[in-house]
């Protein structure tokens, strides 16, 4: 029996982590990306997974820069940064079969909408993950703590969920993926931009009184927008939840901080920017999110 085949869009931390675990159970993983250094490293050495004790394990993957070279594909994981989603959607349109499915596990709000605009709702599934990872170098990833994966109910995700569970992920189906996406969005808005601007790990925000106050305001604003749009959150107290996450991930360096340190574009538009946009549409003030949105954009300004 042929090994199952799966396409992962992206070559960053989460894309590499998922590729390693899926390759380990015999899945033929193809990674589609545009980062030349990353593609070259993956092509020559596979994905290198660094275990807690420092041991480095290698897992083979196929690497492509052109989606047309991978025809056709039935299963895809979308793990690019949110600012790359439109490009990924166009690429998937070229190689995803008519009865295939692409599952987005990305940060932020708006990724699902961009994907469905190109592929249609039948071929896109919405999910969320709290799994963490750090890209140590091109093709080298260190797990950042085991989280969960929740996938919105979809007729075509059964096989993909089976593969994720077999690969060791805590993956399950949910009837309200949008609620989980917005719950994660509230936490990301409260933590990520502040860590990126202050250049500190998550836990440091709790030790700095002004930062902690800003974190609370960011969480309250985001939660108010979720309430206005009729999206229930998985917690009742957004401030307490954000502080608890920061405490539990105290040593973690957020993905936004990692982007800023590399001088790379961040996902601020899909986090604080999305909250400001929805707040404006619904008449909910979001002044702190608006300021943090522009400050992070200014730090890595590239003319976009």
């Amino acid at each position: 029996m042929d090994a199952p085949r799966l396409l992962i869009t992206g070559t960053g931390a989460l894309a590499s982590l998922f590729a390693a675990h899926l390759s380990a159970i015999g899945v033929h993983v193809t990674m589609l990306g545009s980062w030349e250094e990353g593609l070259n490293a993956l092509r020559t050495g596979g994905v290198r997974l660094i275990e807690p004790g420092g041991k480095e394990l290698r897992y083979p993957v196929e690497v492509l820069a052109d989606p047309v070279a991978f025809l056709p594909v039935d299963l895809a994981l979308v793990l690019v940064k949110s600012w790359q989603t439109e490009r990924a959607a166009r690429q998937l349109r070229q190689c995803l079969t008519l009865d295939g499915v692409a599952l987005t596990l990305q940060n932020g709000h708006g990724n699902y909408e961009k994907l469905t605009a190109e592929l249609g709702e039948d071929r896109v599934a919405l999910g969320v993950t709290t799994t963490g990872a750090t890209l140590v170098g091109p093709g080298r990833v260190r797990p950042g703590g085991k989280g969960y994966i929740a996938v919105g109910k979809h007729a075509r995700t059964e096989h993909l969920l089976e593969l994720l569970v077999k690969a060791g992920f805590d993956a399950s189906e949910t009837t309200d993926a949008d609620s989980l996406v917005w719950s994660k969005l509230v936490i990301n808005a409260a933590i990520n931009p502040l860590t990126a601007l202050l250049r500190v790990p998550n836990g440091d925000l709790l030790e700095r009184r002004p930062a902690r106050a800003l974190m609370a305001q960011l969480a309250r604003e985001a939660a108010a927008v979720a309430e206005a749009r009729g999206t229930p959150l998985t917690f009742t107290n957004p401030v307490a939840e954000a502080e608890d996450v920061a405490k539990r991930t105290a040593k973690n360096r957020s993905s936004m901080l990692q982007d800023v340190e590399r001088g790379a574009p961040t996902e601020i538009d899909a986090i604080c920017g999305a909250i400001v946009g929805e707040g404006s549409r619904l008449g909910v003030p979001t002044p702190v999110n608006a300021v943090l949105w522009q400050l992070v954009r200014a730090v890595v300004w590239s003319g976009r």
Side-chain angles (χ1 to χ4, degrees):
M1 182 177 177
D2 293 338
R5 300 172 75 236
L6 179 121
L7 178 68
I8 295 179
T9 64
T11 55
L14 275 185
S16 298
L17 181 71
F18 275 76
H21 283 285
L22 288 161
S23 176
I25 62 167
V27 176
H28 181 106
V29 177
T30 300
M31 301 180 73
L32 175 64
S34 59
W35 180 31
E36 188 174 345
E37 191 177 1
L39 292 173
N40 289 337
L42 291 164
R43 187 177 291 114
T44 57
V47 178
R48 288 165 289 173
L49 184 68
I50 304 172
E51 295 190 322
K55 184 179 179 181
E56 191 169 290
L57 303 176
R58 298 192 178 207
Y59 298 95
V61 293
E62 184 181 4
V63 179
L64 294 174
D66 181 3
V68 177
F70 191 73
L71 291 173
V73 58
D74 295 316
L75 301 175
L77 281 178
V78 184
L79 290 168
V80 295
K81 296 289 188 178
S82 59
W83 57 272
Q84 299 170 310
T85 302
E86 290 180 350
R87 185 190 69 204
R90 291 192 297 269
Q91 291 176 322
L92 285 168
R93 189 174 183 179
Q94 298 179 65
C95 63
L96 189 68
T97 59
L98 292 177
D99 58 352
V101 64
L103 169 63
T104 169
L105 295 175
Q106 299 162 273
N107 280 336
H109 172 66
N111 297 300
Y112 175 79
E113 290 76 9
K114 291 174 183 176
L115 290 164
T116 56
E118 285 285 345
L119 304 173
E121 292 185 2
D122 288 346
R123 293 198 288 170
V124 181
L126 176 62
V128 64
T129 183
T130 58
T131 302
T134 299
L135 198 66
V136 179
R140 299 180 67 229
V141 63
R142 179 184 293 117
K146 189 173 182 179
Y148 65 81
I149 300 169
V151 178
K153 193 172 179 60
H154 193 286
R156 301 179 184 178
T157 56
E158 182 179 357
H159 184 41
L160 186 50
L161 271 170
E162 289 175 354
L163 291 176
L164 290 170
V165 170
K166 187 178 179 182
F169 292 103
D170 179 9
S172 60
E173 191 174 74
T174 178
T175 56
D176 194 357
D178 196 46
S179 174
L180 293 174
V181 168
W182 267 85
S183 296
K184 184 179 179 183
L185 186 63
V186 169
I187 303 306
N188 281 345
I191 295 174
N192 291 18
L194 287 170
T195 60
L197 291 168
L198 297 173
R199 310 290 179 100
V200 297
N202 296 355
D204 278 31
L205 300 180
L206 301 175
E207 306 301 324
R208 305 183 182 205
R209 189 178 301 168
R212 192 167 186 167
L214 283 170
M215 184 168 65
Q217 289 176 276
L218 288 162
R220 289 192 191 99
E221 288 181 3
V225 173
E227 181 179 8
R229 73 193 303 272
T231 303
L233 301 176
T234 59
F235 41 79
T236 56
N237 187 328
V239 176
E241 184 70 15
E243 291 184 348
D244 182 59
V245 171
K247 183 178 180 180
R248 286 189 282 109
T249 62
K251 295 182 180 180
N252 286 11
R253 301 177 74 80
S254 73
S255 59
M256 192 172 292
L257 170 57
Q258 293 178 54
D259 289 338
V260 166
E261 288 177 332
R262 295 197 310 271
T266 74
E267 298 185 296
I268 195 67
D269 290 345
I271 298 177
C272 291
I275 291 165
V276 172
E278 281 290 276
S280 177
R281 182 178 70 84
L282 297 166
V284 178
T286 54
V288 182
N289 275 273
V291 171
L292 271 290
W293 175 29
Q294 297 304 329
L295 281 174
V296 174
R297 291 187 71 203
V299 168
V300 290
W301 177 250
S302 61
R304 289 193 305 120

